């Protein structure tokens, strides 16, 4: 399937990188930015900006705040995930609650997932 990039989202992605949520900053600076397999943050894929993207593992990590668990947010996320997965990418959603209350468990989960996908 052809890769498309919505260049109109590039500036928005740059702004999001500068203004990450507390949970995104925590995961990025305390784990992903030094992880041995390269991750990008606020990556434009098609018409979406994903939180974290690992090309080598074909993995997207999305951190979800409370708005993602409301009816409208759940529907939007399901459509978004289905579209992204059509690109043969894996989408993993992690609640902000887990980042804040089980950070080491989240890191272990991501590490285990990456090792399974890259090996």
């Amino acid at each position: 399937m052809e890769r498309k990039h919505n260049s109109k989202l590039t500036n928005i992605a740059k702004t999001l990188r500068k203004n990450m949520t507390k949970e995104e900053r925590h995961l990025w600076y305390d784990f992903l930015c030094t992880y041995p397999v390269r991750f990008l943050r606020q990556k434009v894929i098609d018409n979406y900006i994903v939180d974290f993207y690992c090309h080598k593992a074909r993995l997207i990590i999305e951190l979800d705040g409370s708005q993602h668990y409301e009816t409208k947010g759940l529907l939007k996320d399901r459509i978004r995930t289905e579209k992204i997965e059509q690109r043969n990418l894996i989408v993993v959603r992690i609640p902000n609650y887990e980042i804040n209350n089980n950070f080491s468990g989240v890191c272990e989960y991501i590490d285990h997932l990456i090792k399974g996908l890259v090996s």
Side-chain angles (χ1 to χ4, degrees), residues 33-94:
C33 75
T34 58
Y35 192 75
V37 179
R38 184 173 185 228
F39 273 86
L40 300 173
R41 57 194 168 124
Q42 273 62 36
K43 170 77 173 146
V44 177
I45 296 179
D46 291 337
N47 290 314
Y48 304 104
I49 301 170
V50 302
D51 292 336
F52 301 102
Y53 171 67
C54 176
H55 176 75
K56 191 169 186 177
R58 305 199 50 76
L59 176 68
I60 291 168
I61 298 173
E62 289 285 323
L63 300 188
D64 291 346
S66 60
Q67 72 277 15
H68 291 271
Y69 298 101
E70 297 169 3
T71 304
K72 193 174 185 179
L74 289 167
L75 177 61
K76 242 176 114 174
D77 286 346
R78 191 178 84 232
I79 292 167
R80 172 186 170 106
T81 297
E82 287 172 2
K83 294 252 186 204
I84 292 171
E85 286 177 342
Q86 288 174 359
R87 299 273 178 217
N88 197 27
L89 298 169
I90 297 166
V91 178
V92 171
R93 306 191 89 71
I94 299 173

